[in-house]
Amino acid sequence: MVARTPNTLRQPPMTLWAIALLLPLIFSGCAAWNGSALQEPAAAAAGATTAPQAPQAWPPYLATYHFSLGVLFSQDEIHDEAIKEFEAARQYDPQSPEIVAELASAYAEKGDFQKAIAVCVESLQDNPDDVNLRMILGGLYMTSRDLKNAVVQYRRVIDLDPQNTNAHLYLGTIYGDARQYPEAFTAFRNLLTIDPDHLMGNYYLGK
């Protein structure tokens, strides 16, 4: 299973009219960028003694623009276009774990699990403590039947977030499927210590 956090739950499809809501942001970003570029020569002509600062607004606006388009395409299950937009967003904000999470999910929805895994692994070099990315990566490894690496990811999530019930649940199911029952029992007991009424935890522990 591949999950954003951790279950892939789609919102009702959004129509592309929502893109129009982004245009004022883009235009204001352009204005900020162009205005800054136009003011620099004027400042120099006036004998300014401080170096003009590089405009900061433009790339973030582009990242937001492409990311928002990617979300719209993803919700409409147009995966190729979603991937294109998320990749474009990553060009302007290459270290964003949120962009990579959506990009990996789009690749997975298309069935390209190896590419989804690759972008998660790459992003974790910049964001080693990002719990959401590690949960997604663990789900990708589970789907690919790479259970050893899935265990590594879920254990790391538990190190970072000991109260993460989903990490305990998935770890227990992996051990149970592998017939490593003592480890599975421990994982489910840890889960029920956090949430005694957890439906799936009680179900698996009862098996």
Side-chain angles (χ1 to χ4, degrees):
M1 63 182 293
V2 177
R4 286 189 171 85
T5 59
N7 295 321
T8 304
L9 300 178
R10 295 199 172 277
Q11 300 296 322
M14 296 176 62
T15 57
L16 292 179
W17 64 262
I19 298 172
L21 298 178
L22 300 172
L23 295 181
L25 298 177
I26 304 305
F27 291 145
S28 62
C30 291
W33 186 78
N34 287 330
S36 187
L38 290 172
Q39 289 171 8
E40 291 173 10
T49 57
T50 59
Q53 296 183 351
Q56 299 298 318
W58 184 231
Y61 275 107
L62 283 175
T64 300
Y65 172 69
H66 287 292
F67 178 82
S68 299
L69 283 178
V71 170
L72 292 176
F73 284 125
S74 182
Q75 288 175 337
D76 286 338
E77 300 186 357
I78 309 174
H79 303 307
D80 287 334
E81 291 299 320
I83 289 168
K84 177 181 176 182
E85 295 300 336
F86 291 136
E87 289 283 15
R90 194 162 64 136
Q91 293 298 311
Y92 295 102
D93 192 359
Q95 294 186 342
S96 168
E98 291 80 11
I99 293 174
V100 171
E102 292 293 337
L103 177 60
S105 295
Y107 275 123
E109 293 286 351
K110 188 181 175 183
D112 192 345
F113 295 105
Q114 293 308 308
K115 186 67 174 178
I117 289 170
V119 297
C120 286
V121 169
E122 179 183 353
S123 183
L124 283 171
Q125 295 177 8
D126 296 317
N127 307 283
D129 296 338
D130 192 278
V131 168
N132 186 47
L133 268 184
R134 290 194 178 276
M135 287 297 296
I136 292 173
L137 184 56
L140 290 166
Y141 281 135
M142 284 184 70
T143 303
S144 302
R145 303 303 298 169
D146 186 349
L147 300 183
K148 180 178 179 180
N149 276 319
V151 166
V152 170
Q153 294 306 316
Y154 292 135
R155 284 199 172 280
R156 180 58 180 150
V157 168
I158 291 169
D159 288 341
L160 295 167
D161 181 13
Q163 302 298 305
N164 193 303
T165 56
N166 287 303
H168 289 287
L169 175 64
Y170 298 151
L171 191 61
T173 58
I174 290 172
Y175 283 134
D177 289 343
R179 297 186 179 182
Q180 295 179 241
Y181 297 123
E183 291 86 351
F185 180 83
T186 298
F188 292 131
R189 287 304 306 167
N190 289 337
L191 166 58
L192 294 176
T193 298
I194 300 166
D195 182 3
D197 297 323
H198 195 284
L199 179 62
M200 295 306 296
N202 281 289
Y203 169 75
Y204 280 116
L205 192 63
K207 293 179 69 175

